[in-house]
Amino acid sequence: MPSNLLNASKRPRYNGIDRLTNKVPSLYQQSIKILFKHVICVGQRNKRISKLQNLPVTVLIMVLEEMSSYPSLRRSLHRELSDPKLFMRVFMHLGADRSVLEKCLRKASFLGKPVLPDMANSWCKMMNADKTAKNSSQLMNNISAATKLGTYLQEVGWWNHSKKVLDIALLLISQVTETQLYSSLNIECMCKLLRAEGILRVTENADETCDALLKLAECIEDDGVLAQIFLEVASYHEKAERLTESQTWTTKALELLVETSSIETVVEILLLKGRILYRNRRYEDGNLVIGQAIHRARSTFGFHDRRYANALFTYGACLMMTASNYSTAISVLLEPLDIFSKLYGNVTPQVAVIHFYLAYGLYYRDIGLFDVASAYDSIQRAILLAEQIMPERRQFIDLCGEVRAAILTELNECLGEESGNRAGLEDFQILTVAEIKQKCTRRCLE
C-alpha cells in the first residue's frame, strides 16, 4: 500500500455524492481512492488483491464500490466478486438493501460477462466439499446463506443457478433435527425450488417437489404460508400448461388473502390470476386485476424495483395475447427492459426474454419494413444473449429460433418489395438545379 495513504486526510477530494450531500469524505474513502489510483498506475489491475479478504466487511464494500467507478478495474472487480467467500461476506452483510452490490455487479458485467453464474458455480463446488458437522451453528449459517442466495439468484433471473443452490440448501436442511426452524426453512426452500423447476420445465422433478410441498401444507395453519404454497403450486401448473389445476390453486390462494397479507405475495397472486383471466379471454377482468397488482407494486416498492418491473412485464406479455394490443404491449415492455437494464445490466436473462417478446410484438404488428427490421434486431439480441448466459434454456432458445426464421422470411420479402419500388427511381438521371428549374418552368407553361 503506498505511503501517501498516511497523508490522505490532508488531501480532501469530493465526488458527486459528496457535493450533493455536503459530506466530507471519510479517511477510509480518501484512502481507498488513493489506493486505486496507485493500483492503476503500477499496473496491478490484472492481479487478485489478496488483502481484501482480511478487510472488515464495511470497508470491503467501500473498496468494491470504489473499484466499480474505474473502467480499467472492471476485470479485477469481476474476478473479486466471483470469489464465493468474498461475495457471500458482502451479500449477507448487506441484507435486503443490495443496491451497492448490484451496482458493482452491473459495472463488472460491462465486460460482456455476468458475475453471478461464475460465483454461484464456485459456491456450489465449495459447499459440496464442505464437511460441516450436523446440527452445528456453522451448518445453520450455511443453510441461511444458501436459502438467501438461492432466492436472490431467482429474483434476478438466474433460474438454473438458483435451483443448484436451493438443492444444496435442502440437502443441508435435511441434516438438521426436525424443529420449527427446520420446517420453516424447508417450506421456504421448496417453494423457491418449485418455482425454479417450473421455469426450467424440469417437470418430473417439479412434480415431486409439488407433491412434497402439498404434503407439508397439510400440517400448516398459517394462512400467509399457505397462500405462498398455493401460489407456487398454481404458478407451476400454469407453466406446465395445466390450466384447470392452476385456476383451482389460484382461487385457493386468493381466498386466503386479507388486507394485512404480504404485499409481495398479493402482487404475485394477482398477476397469476390476471394471466389466467387473459388465457380465458376475459381481457377486461384481466386488465383490472393486473392493474391492481401494478399499482400495489409501484406504490410499495417504487418505480425502479424488480417487483414493479415484473408486474409491468406480465402486463406486456398478456397484451401480446390480443392482436389489437401489440402497439400498447411494446410500449409497456420498454419500461421493464429499462428498469432491469439499470438494475442488473444488459447481460441478464430478463433482457433476453423481454427482447423475445418485443420481437414477437413488432413482427405481428408489422406496419412496415421498420417494424420487421426492429423485430429481427430484437430476436437476434435475444438469441445471442440466451445462448451466451443461459444455454440450459433450450426450449426458450428453440422458440426464439422459430420466431427468428419467420421474421427473416418476412424481412426478405419486405426488402424485395422495397427494391422493386426503388427500381424506377434508380433509372432517373441526376440533373443540375438549372435543368430542374427549366423543366419545371416548361411544364408550367404547358
Side-chain angles (χ1 to χ4, degrees):
M1 188 171 290
S3 59
N4 58 0
L5 283 180
L6 297 174
N7 300 317
S9 60
K10 298 178 182 179
R11 301 171 58 186
R13 294 169 183 259
Y14 301 90
N15 59 27
I17 295 176
D18 298 326
R19 287 194 295 270
L20 289 172
T21 58
N22 295 318
K23 290 182 179 179
V24 178
S26 68
L27 178 61
Y28 271 136
Q29 290 170 320
Q30 295 176 62
S31 300
I32 289 166
K33 287 179 181 293
I34 295 171
L35 168 63
F36 282 109
K37 289 184 185 302
H38 172 77
V39 169
I40 293 170
C41 289
V42 300
Q44 294 178 354
R45 54 183 174 272
N46 293 324
K47 299 179 181 179
R48 289 293 306 272
I49 306 174
S50 58
K51 293 184 179 179
L52 287 186
Q53 290 283 6
N54 301 321
L55 290 176
V57 68
T58 52
V59 181
L60 174 59
I61 291 167
M62 293 167 62
V63 169
L64 294 173
E65 185 175 16
E66 182 64 21
M67 285 179 72
S68 72
S69 64
Y70 296 95
S72 58
L73 292 178
R74 282 173 185 159
R75 191 171 301 280
S76 180
L77 179 65
H78 192 292
R79 191 182 299 114
E80 299 298 339
L81 288 171
S82 296
D83 177 0
K85 290 183 179 179
L86 185 146
F87 179 89
M88 290 305 293
R89 284 185 68 206
V90 174
F91 177 78
M92 295 299 289
H93 177 81
L94 289 173
D97 183 11
R98 302 190 179 103
S99 56
V100 173
L101 177 60
E102 287 173 348
K103 171 188 173 184
C104 294
L105 291 171
R106 184 177 67 253
K107 293 292 185 69
S109 75
F110 288 170
L111 291 174
K113 181 181 180 182
V115 173
L116 288 173
D118 288 346
M119 187 284 303
N121 286 335
S122 297
W123 182 91
C124 289
K125 289 179 182 178
M126 181 178 73
M127 294 308 299
N128 285 330
D130 187 75
K131 303 298 181 184
T132 303
K134 292 185 178 182
N135 292 318
S136 66
S137 59
Q138 183 57 47
L139 178 61
M140 297 307 299
N141 291 338
N142 288 345
I143 291 172
S144 176
T147 304
K148 290 177 181 178
L149 177 60
T151 300
Y152 178 69
L153 289 168
Q154 193 168 113
E155 289 171 355
V156 297
W158 298 105
W159 299 97
N160 188 49
H161 298 87
S162 171
K163 173 174 164 43
K164 291 178 181 178
V165 171
L166 291 170
D167 280 335
I168 291 175
L170 281 174
L171 182 62
L172 295 175
I173 290 171
S174 69
Q175 299 175 27
V176 179
T177 304
E178 274 203 51
T179 62
Q180 186 175 0
L181 176 61
Y182 163 85
S183 177
S184 175
L185 286 171
N186 198 34
I187 290 169
E188 182 180 354
C189 275
M190 290 183 71
C191 281
K192 299 301 181 183
L193 182 61
L194 179 58
R195 183 175 294 201
E197 289 173 342
I199 288 284
L200 296 170
R201 305 295 176 92
V202 285
T203 307
E204 187 175 340
N205 291 346
D207 282 338
E208 292 179 6
T209 305
C210 186
D211 291 342
L213 195 53
L214 288 175
K215 188 173 181 179
L216 289 174
E218 295 173 1
C219 304
I220 295 172
E221 297 180 356
D222 186 319
D223 285 352
V225 176
L226 282 174
Q228 188 64 44
I229 291 174
F230 295 162
L231 164 65
E232 300 303 341
V233 171
S235 181
Y236 164 57
H237 283 303
E238 183 210 15
K239 292 177 178 63
E241 300 297 330
R242 303 166 187 161
L243 298 186
T244 302
E245 292 91 333
S246 179
Q247 188 159 352
T248 298
W249 289 107
T250 303
T251 301
K252 288 178 179 290
L254 269 172
E255 290 172 350
L256 293 171
L257 292 185
V258 294
E259 289 298 329
T260 56
S261 296
S262 160
I263 294 296
E264 189 163 0
T265 301
V266 171
V267 167
E268 291 186 347
I269 291 174
L270 291 178
L271 292 175
L272 178 56
K273 182 62 177 178
R275 293 198 298 271
I276 291 172
L277 289 168
Y278 254 87
R279 283 173 173 265
N280 291 329
R281 299 186 180 183
R282 293 172 56 186
Y283 304 129
E284 188 173 343
D285 291 336
N287 285 338
L288 172 66
V289 173
I290 294 174
Q292 290 295 311
I294 291 172
H295 170 75
R296 282 170 168 78
R298 181 176 58 232
S299 59
T300 303
F301 307 117
F303 287 88
H304 306 290
D305 187 88
R306 62 171 178 81
R307 288 157 290 197
Y308 173 58
N310 280 331
L312 286 175
F313 170 73
T314 297
Y315 182 43
C318 284
L319 288 171
M320 290 287 182
M321 296 183 192
T322 57
S324 61
N325 284 324
Y326 289 134
S327 294
T328 305
I330 292 165
S331 298
V332 170
L333 287 171
L334 289 174
E335 187 173 356
L337 177 62
D338 181 62
I339 295 170
F340 284 127
S341 297
K342 287 179 178 176
L343 284 174
Y344 311 125
N346 290 318
V347 193
T348 62
Q350 294 99 328
V351 170
V353 172
I354 294 176
H355 270 300
F356 165 78
Y357 276 92
L358 286 172
Y360 183 91
L362 287 163
Y363 170 66
Y364 280 103
R365 183 175 71 171
D366 188 11
I367 58 176
L369 178 60
F370 178 79
D371 262 10
V372 182
S374 297
Y376 183 74
D377 181 60
S378 283
I379 202 65
Q380 281 290 87
R381 291 187 186 188
I383 292 173
L384 291 174
L385 190 53
E387 289 178 339
Q388 176 192 349
I389 65 175
M390 46 183 187
E392 72 281 351
R393 299 277 297 275
R394 285 312 315 172
Q395 191 170 18
F396 173 73
I397 294 171
D398 291 344
L399 183 59
C400 285
E402 292 173 11
V403 173
R404 178 186 179 277
I407 293 172
L408 189 57
T409 300
E410 182 75 12
L411 182 61
N412 288 333
E413 290 177 1
C414 288
L415 289 173
E417 292 174 3
E418 190 76 9
S419 176
N421 292 336
R422 290 179 180 176
L425 293 174
E426 292 170 355
D427 292 337
F428 283 124
Q429 178 184 358
I430 302 298
L431 304 176
T432 65
V433 172
E435 288 172 328
I436 294 171
K437 287 181 178 179
Q438 184 181 7
K439 288 182 179 292
C440 288
T441 303
R442 184 191 308 155
R443 288 181 181 179
C444 287
L445 293 174
E446 291 173 356

